[in-house]
Amino acid sequence: MWSVTGGSWGGDEFRMASGAEIVGRDSDSFEMKVSIPSDEDGFFGRQCPSCRQIFRIDGNDYDALPDEVVLWCVYCGHHDEHSEFMTQQQLDRALRAAGDLGVQLIGQALDQAFSGFRSSRRSEFGIEISYRTEPFYPEPLPGIDEEKLIRIRSCERCSLRYAVFGEHRFCPVCGHLPALVVALDALAAETARLDGVAQLPAQTAAMLREQGVFTRLWVDTLKNLVGVVEALGTAVFRDTVPDADQRLRGKGNIFQRLDHTADLFVDAGYPDLRTVVDPARWQRLIEFWAARHVFTHNDGLVDEKYLTKVPASTMRIGQRLTTTEQLCRQAIADTEVLCRAVAGLTAP
């Protein structure tokens, strides 16, 4: 709804383009309703006034929200009145409608100003002034052609359907997403990255493989998995353990260490992760975490600490670890089971 000041309102005396409608007047202000078209899926865009990134919301779900709803940016978490989240194309459409009304208000004012004017020629040096009213015909309002959604998401708490175009941490209505949702999204992104690389043309893939790009990607995957579990474990522990700060004091990056993480939850009165996750999977996770530690802190060179964690390894101290896409995919699958187990430890 837009307010435009000036003129007098006489019902349908103004010509407005399809999609724009004058619905009322308060003193010198006009109330104008401008439609915002949805896409073929019934979604329309919202743009964060802070980070300027766009996300999309199902139109029916949005209409059902209260008028005073506060929206959250799904990417940066900025929250403000929903009217602050107009996209630039939506704003251009509304401004065009407001401009059409403004042109007609100016024309109306000129008509009134010249209504009693009579031109005259007093001498051959006189100036003759004439004024003629021109009818106004508005052009169609600009359409909306914003980025189309790829996948529809549904908030597990409020059921709002929305779509994003990048990594996000917030629901447009609820705010902060549950820690497990964030973790599973991150794991899905790791899988999508592996899938994307697997679809590269053969020549491009060969060049990247020769440069060691694939190896770096697989190593980064292992590093990212540890980060996902660390973030999830930290969130779950802090959300459910009243004296979490005290228990975590002086323990450093404890959620990067699987056995220490398990001990921490046990000491807080929760089940032991080592019994919740099956033994074979737990051992694979220990090995993945040990490999990540070696790649991060020792350029992949096997040390005594690694062999202690992976006693079945045939590697020798000083040899360099290797990894594969298959191992990374197994690590992602095992990490998903671990994440669900961590989130389930404190579930009612």
Side-chain angles (χ1 to χ4, degrees):
M1 192 77 73
W2 281 69
S3 296
V4 182
T5 302
S8 61
W9 182 58
D12 56 357
E13 63 182 290
F14 299 107
R15 293 189 175 99
M16 304 303 298
S18 176
E21 178 185 3
I22 302 173
V23 296
R25 176 191 177 189
D26 181 14
S27 184
D28 290 331
S29 295
F30 292 87
E31 287 189 1
M32 181 187 303
K33 183 177 182 180
V34 180
S35 65
I36 303 297
S38 300
D39 63 18
E40 62 270 19
D41 297 296
F43 283 66
F44 71 102
R46 298 282 79 186
Q47 185 169 22
C48 175
S50 177
C51 71
R52 304 305 300 167
Q53 295 190 75
I54 291 179
F55 54 98
R56 301 183 72 77
I57 298 179
D58 179 85
N60 292 329
D61 290 354
Y62 190 80
D63 289 341
L65 297 174
D67 292 338
E68 65 276 8
V69 67
V70 171
L71 283 187
W72 290 66
C73 171
V74 297
Y75 308 107
C76 73
H78 174 83
H79 42 287
D80 207 334
E81 294 181 3
H82 66 93
S83 59
E84 298 299 318
F85 284 79
M86 292 185 68
T87 70
Q88 186 59 53
Q89 290 187 37
Q90 293 167 356
L91 181 61
D92 291 343
R93 181 178 172 89
L95 289 177
R96 168 69 71 78
D100 288 346
L101 175 59
V103 168
Q104 294 178 80
L105 289 172
I106 293 173
Q108 187 182 75
L110 289 174
D111 287 346
Q112 293 175 353
F114 283 94
S115 61
F117 183 81
R118 296 291 184 272
S119 63
S120 62
R121 186 190 300 270
R122 288 185 173 273
S123 69
E124 60 180 304
F125 301 105
I127 299 176
E128 181 176 339
I129 300 175
S130 63
Y131 173 77
R132 183 178 63 183
T133 300
E134 293 287 344
F136 178 81
Y137 298 100
E139 296 182 0
L141 296 179
I144 305 295
D145 185 22
E146 296 166 348
E147 188 172 2
K148 302 299 187 294
L149 58 89
I150 302 298
R151 178 166 67 101
I152 297 174
R153 306 180 62 90
S154 181
C155 177
E156 65 179 33
R157 291 180 297 196
C158 70
S159 299
L160 181 82
R161 289 167 291 181
Y162 64 100
V164 299
F165 304 97
E167 190 174 47
H168 76 297
R169 294 290 184 272
F170 307 89
C171 164
V173 173
C174 295
H176 293 273
L177 292 173
L180 180 59
V181 172
V182 173
L184 296 180
D185 277 353
L187 297 181
E190 293 298 326
T191 298
R193 185 167 64 157
L194 295 178
D195 291 343
V197 171
Q199 296 172 11
L200 290 174
Q203 184 176 358
T204 302
M207 179 186 67
L208 295 178
R209 185 183 300 109
E210 190 274 333
Q211 293 290 332
V213 173
F214 285 4
T215 301
R216 295 311 312 166
L217 184 148
W218 298 330
V219 169
D220 287 345
T221 297
L222 294 179
K223 294 178 181 179
N224 292 342
L225 296 182
V226 175
V228 169
V229 174
E230 181 181 18
L232 174 64
T234 301
V236 171
F237 197 79
R238 290 189 178 279
D239 286 346
T240 56
V241 179
D243 58 343
D245 288 340
Q246 181 179 345
R247 290 176 180 272
L248 294 174
R249 189 174 296 120
K251 288 185 168 56
N253 300 324
I254 189 170
F255 293 104
Q256 292 183 4
R257 305 186 293 274
L258 292 178
D259 282 316
H260 291 175
T261 296
D263 291 338
L264 188 66
F265 277 101
V266 169
D267 292 342
Y270 296 102
D272 192 335
L273 276 170
R274 288 162 292 211
T275 61
V276 176
V277 177
D278 66 271
R281 194 184 304 275
W282 183 263
Q283 182 56 39
R284 285 198 302 269
L285 288 165
I286 291 291
E287 294 176 7
F288 291 140
W289 259 237
R292 170 264 176 193
H293 187 272
V294 168
F295 280 121
T296 302
H297 301 288
N298 204 30
D299 192 32
L301 299 179
V302 171
D303 54 17
E304 186 175 349
K305 186 175 181 179
Y306 175 82
L307 293 179
T308 300
K309 291 285 187 180
V310 192
S313 173
T314 60
M315 301 286 287
R316 296 179 178 179
I317 293 177
Q319 282 187 271
R320 194 168 192 275
L321 287 177
T322 60
T323 188
T324 65
E325 178 186 348
Q326 182 180 0
L327 285 174
C328 284
R329 289 187 183 275
Q330 182 64 61
I332 293 171
D334 289 342
T335 302
E336 179 177 345
V337 173
L338 175 62
C339 287
R340 294 186 184 275
V342 171
L345 288 179
T346 61

